[in-house]
Amino acid sequence: MLQTEFDVDLPIFHLTKPILVKTSHKLEEAILNRNLPAMIFTGFQSNKYVNQELDRYQKLAVSAHSVYVFAGPAITGLSIQPEPSLTGSNIVKVDLAAEDVLCQEWFLLFLTDYFSVLFCAKERELPAQNEADRAFDTILTFDTTVIEHTLAILGKVLAHYRPDKLEQMRQGCSLFPPVLPQSGYALSLMTAFLRQTATYRPVINQLDQDEAILETVRALLHDSSQPLTALLVLLDLFDQQGYADTKDLQSLKEMASEIKTILTDVRQTTLPVSLKTNIHTQLKNLDGDDVLIG
């Protein structure tokens, strides 16, 4: 539902369930590690999977403005699954009907003052021997237009199932409108994503998804509009992941030249000491010392 409704052409890559879970956790740690106030929207195919993440979402709710958990009913044929015992006035549980197309998707959407991100996956209709083999068409984006459109869709779903919580969602979205990520967060989110895919590199190779992963990273870099962040991410591609190709090498050279020009201009310009100090502080925050995600 979410993927088919997007008005822009986003890179789609395939992930298996273990990579999907680990990547979701790394994105969630951007909130947990800093206790960031946020609006959190998450979707599960079944309450079975909500139960597996209960402790995590209770921790996320501690600092969150609000947490919206969308989930399909219990899976037919399995043993009796208890209803998730999510507690807290800022946690909204949305029980989807079995026929709702949103039950086919797994999604995570964060709105904070520092970044907005959408991680969305739809299960592929392929046979799987076990849970670990389940494959998903996946999107990861900072694109604020896409995120706004996703919020509109989720608002309609909430209006249908939980109209009593719609005003709460509207108020929260006014406090946390979609924003492009600040440099340190953009770098940490992308690096965390790349390192997860590198951990599962044999699976990525088997799925023939190297180029799709690269296209996603390029789209994230474009959306972040931050040359220095892009430079550091591409360096990570070369240094640790082994993903980047000659096209990225050329981009790397061009960005290095652009950044050198910017820094030269800054040094040669007469600026107030406080402003120069702030610029150097911002640059220092990108050097990897301020890691946001473990």
Side-chain angles (χ1 to χ4, degrees), residues 230-243:
L231 176 66
L232 293 173
V233 169
L234 286 176
L235 283 171
D236 191 62
L237 280 171
F238 277 102
D239 185 39
Q240 298 190 42
Q241 318 308 334
Y243 274 122

Side-chain angles (χ1 to χ4, degrees), residues 61-73:
V62 171
S63 63
H65 169 277
S66 49
V67 179
Y68 297 82
V69 180
F70 299 76

Side-chain angles (χ1 to χ4, degrees), residues 6 16 32 35 42-43 46 50 60 72 95 117 126 134 137 150 159 174 180-181 183 195 209 224-225 255 287 292:
F6 293 149
T16 56
L32 289 171
N35 292 317
T42 184
S46 166
V50 179
L60 283 164
D95 294 310
V117 63
L126 297 172
R134 292 168 61 197
D137 288 334
T150 303
S174 68
L180 291 176
S183 52
R195 290 178 180 170
Q209 291 303 294
S224 68
S225 302
M255 281 187 289
D287 67 5
L292 306 176

Side-chain angles (χ1 to χ4, degrees), residues 223-267:
D223 290 339
S224 68
S225 302
Q226 296 159 1
L228 189 54
T229 297
L231 176 66
L232 293 173
V233 169
L234 286 176
L235 283 171
D236 191 62
L237 280 171
F238 277 102
D239 185 39
Q240 298 190 42
Q241 318 308 334
Y243 274 122
D245 57 21
T246 53
K247 180 164 58 175
D248 296 296
L249 179 59
Q250 183 59 35
S251 296
L252 191 64
K253 290 178 179 178
E254 291 172 358
M255 281 187 289
S257 177
E258 179 183 351
I259 291 166
K260 181 179 179 181
T261 300
I262 292 171
L263 294 178
T264 299
D265 289 344
V266 168
R267 291 191 188 98

